[in-house]
């Protein structure tokens, strides 16, 4: 089973809202990732969790707050976003950091 | 500085023919990894193939093979016998710096014509 699930599939939120994106994997992977992808651009790495600890934060604004409650779950809490934050948010996992990553279907976020 | 370069924004290939997607990279590390991913219009990134910098043989996975030329710092993806379902965006990616850094190239949009 190489499935990574993400919810919701689509999200529309206002700039004053608070929402969360959820990612789940049951492959026993110990590394999980958040990426942001704008249209016609490659994914940009935002955060990396390794063994449930934040390993990398690629200078992401504090309005994005990641959380890894356990080895299977990864959340991305959103608060006071800007319209330019509208994008496809992809979650991925890998056996450990550096191995091939398996991606979820993504959440298409629109900030109004 | 650009770490991964894909110089072909878009390509066309006839169904059942082979196609090569180019990827060059820049690193002074001896240990690194190279990956290719496919992204259909649905948005999900699909892992295709991996090549480690110390692997002596080119990686192959079914119809996908990676033409790894270390001295030239290139890692081209070869798709044999193209199918209509191969139409998608293809990204080359590199892992470097003690496994923690992972960057994608700008991608190549492949269109397979019937």
């Amino acid at each position: 089973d190489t499935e990574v699930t993400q919810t919701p599939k689509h999200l529309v939120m206002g700039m004053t809202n608070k929402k969360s994106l959820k990612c789940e994997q049951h492959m026993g992977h110990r590394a999980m990732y958040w990426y942001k992808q704008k249209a016609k651009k490659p994914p940009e790495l935002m955060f990396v969790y390794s063994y449930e600890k934040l390993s990398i934060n690629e200078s992401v604004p504090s309005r994005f707050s990641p959380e890894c409650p356990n080895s299977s779950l990864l959340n991305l809490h959103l608060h006071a976003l800007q319209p330019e934050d509208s994008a496809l948010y992809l979650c991925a996992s890998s056996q450990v950091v550096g191995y091939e990553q398996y991606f979820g279907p993504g959440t298409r976020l629109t900030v109004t | 500085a650009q770490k991964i370069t894909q110089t072909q924004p878009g390509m066309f290939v006839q169904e059942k023919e082979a196609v090569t997607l180019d990827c060059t990279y820049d690193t002074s590390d001896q240990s690194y990894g190279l990956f290719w991913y496919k992204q259909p219009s649905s948005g999900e990134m699909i892992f295709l193939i991996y090549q480690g910098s110390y692997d002596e043989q080119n990686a192959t996975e079914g119809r996908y093979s990676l033409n790894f030329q270390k001295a030239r710092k290139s890692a081209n993806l070869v798709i044999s016998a193209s199918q209509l379902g191969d139409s998608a965006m293809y990204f080359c990616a590199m892992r470097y710096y003690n496994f923690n850094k992972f960057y994608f190239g700008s991608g190549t949009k492949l269109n397979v014509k019937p």
Side-chain angles (χ1 to χ4, degrees), chain B residues 38-51:
Chain B
K38 171 185 178 181
Q39 188 175 38
S41 56
S42 59
E44 185 169 350
M45 298 282 287
I46 302 166
F47 166 70
L48 296 178
I49 197 165
Y50 166 77
Q51 180 85 39

Side-chain angles (χ1 to χ4, degrees), chain A residues 35 37 42 56 97-98 101 103, chain B residues 37 39 95 99-100 102 105:
Chain A
Y35 288 87
Q37 186 178 26
I56 292 180
V97 171
Q101 296 173 31
F103 285 77
Chain B
Y37 286 85
Q39 188 175 38
R95 173 208 75 215
F99 286 56
N100 274 352
F102 195 86

Side-chain angles (χ1 to χ4, degrees), chain A residues 35-92:
Chain A
Y35 288 87
K36 173 183 177 181
Q37 186 178 26
K38 302 284 273 185
K40 300 187 190 302
K41 296 289 187 183
E44 296 174 25
L45 185 64
M46 299 175 72
F47 302 104
V48 179
Y49 273 84
S50 178
Y51 290 87
E52 298 153 55
K53 285 185 168 37
L54 185 62
S55 172
I56 292 180
N57 175 343
E58 290 279 17
S59 304
V60 179
S62 60
R63 57 186 184 269
F64 295 91
S65 175
E67 179 196 19
C68 189
N70 59 56
S71 59
S72 301
L73 278 175
L74 186 65
N75 298 321
L76 186 63
H77 303 297
L78 315 171
H79 173 57
L81 294 192
Q82 304 296 310
E84 59 265 28
D85 297 322
S86 298
L88 178 68
Y89 288 84
L90 292 162
C91 172

Side-chain angles (χ1 to χ4, degrees), chain B residues 3-56:
Chain B
K3 303 294 183 183
I4 295 276
T5 302
Q6 294 180 254
T7 57
Q8 307 152 312
M11 288 193 70
F12 286 90
V13 65
Q14 203 68 39
E15 193 179 7
K16 299 180 185 176
E17 291 186 351
V19 62
T20 298
L21 307 184
D22 294 341
C23 173
T24 57
Y25 59 91
D26 181 27
T27 182
S28 56
D29 284 359
Q30 295 302 307
S31 177
Y32 52 88
L34 296 153
F35 305 78
W36 276 93
Y37 286 85
K38 171 185 178 181
Q39 188 175 38
S41 56
S42 59
E44 185 169 350
M45 298 282 287
I46 302 166
F47 166 70
L48 296 178
I49 197 165
Y50 166 77
Q51 180 85 39
S53 59
Y54 292 120
D55 295 341
E56 294 187 355

